[in-house]
Structure formats: structure tokens, C-alpha cells
Amino acid sequence: SQAPTICDWYNGSSIRSWGVNRGINNFYIQNPGQLAIYPFAQLTANNLPAGTVDGATVLIEVGFQRAQDVLDMALPLSNIVATFQPQSGLLLLTGNATYVDYVTALRAVTFQTFSTSTAPRMVTWSFHRETIFSTSTYHYYRYFPVSGGITWSAADSNCRGLTVEGMQGYLTQLNGPEEATLVSTKLG
């Protein structure tokens, strides 16, 4: 049988403290109007790993208004490229750079809306290319496209061979409508 390859990383009850310590931070935004704001302007670069990382992802996890809400990076960096996916509310930051460089990029992320909705938006971010963090499950997710399909056992083996910040991956098992909606609308 064939299965999509969506890997998941979870580190038990310590995931929240790991996230807070590493800056995986959620931020509720009230409608600022058409003025662009910097949701992560105060982000700090304490206790970051040495070395480089392949990307970061910013996500409007809750309250996203398609065709109205926009994420961007106001400060261009030579080694990091920002690409907004308006259908899903994702801002992908890509390129090999240090964690400190990515914190600089995240500080420069802007949120702007053209919606009149007063519903708050929750904006989250995580290190690593096309990897999202969910505040509702405390899991990290990453979708790997596979041409021609893949068997469940091969997908499971591939995920178990991957790590994010020391956490071993596993093939995602969707455990409810909230998780299924997150994965189906934000990844792939």
C-alpha cells in the first residue's frame, strides 16, 4: 500500500520547555490593520546550537485569513531567501546559515493583513526547512514529497532515520480532525 511521507518529531513533556528555550514561540496578533508589524522583533539568540541550519518556517497557525494575511521578511539577507505561500499562510526561510542568522531573519518577519476580521492570529515559527511546529500537539511536522508513491514501511523507515534537534522522527499518525486539518492545509 502507498502512504504519504509526513514525518513527526515529539519529545514528550519537555517539548514545550525545549521550544521556549529555543525560541519556538507562539504569538497572538490582534488585527493591526494594513500596517505591517514585527511579531518576533524581541526574539533573543540565547543558547542556540553551533553550526548551520537549512531553514526556518513561520506559520499563521490559528485564524489565518487566506488572501488577506501576509507574512514577509523586511530585511533582505544574502544567505536566506523568504518565500510566502499565500494558500497556507506559511513563510519559508531557506538557505544554509547559522542559527544566529536565522534569528536575525525571524526578527525581520512582518505580519500584515487586509482583513477586517478581529479574530486573533497565532503565529509560530520553527527552525529547519519546511518544518512546522504545532502549539496544539507540541509536535513538529515535515512533509516529504515522493514521486511514484512509497510503501508504509519505507516511509516509516525514512522518518525514523531523521532527527530534528536530537529528536528522532517517526511516520505521522493523524490523531484527530485538528491534526489532520493542520497537516492537510499547511504541508505538501
Side-chain angles (χ1 to χ4, degrees), residues 49-152:
T52 62
V53 65
D54 63 351
T57 306
V58 181
L59 163 67
I60 303 171
E61 184 179 353
V62 175
F64 174 59
Q65 303 288 309
R66 184 180 287 184
Q68 302 292 314
D69 293 349
V70 178
L71 294 168
D72 199 0
M73 186 173 72
L75 173 68
L77 299 171
S78 62
N79 52 345
I80 298 175
V81 175
T83 307
F84 182 60
Q85 295 182 345
Q87 72 280 6
S88 59
L90 284 173
L91 179 66
L92 303 175
L93 305 176
T94 57
N96 272 345
T98 67
Y99 283 88
V100 172
D101 289 340
Y102 270 100
V103 168
T104 300
L106 289 164
R107 286 182 191 139
V109 166
T110 60
F111 169 80
Q112 184 175 17
T113 187
F114 300 95
S115 171
T116 57
S117 170
T118 59
R121 286 21 164 231
M122 180 187 290
V123 180
T124 62
W125 68 268
S126 60
F127 287 124
H128 298 285
R129 185 178 183 170
E130 299 178 27
T131 300
I132 63 171
F133 175 73
S134 169
T135 58
S136 63
T137 65
Y138 301 112
H139 289 227
Y140 294 82
Y141 301 90
R142 184 168 181 185
Y143 174 79
F144 294 90
V146 178
S147 64
I150 189 171
T151 65
W152 185 93

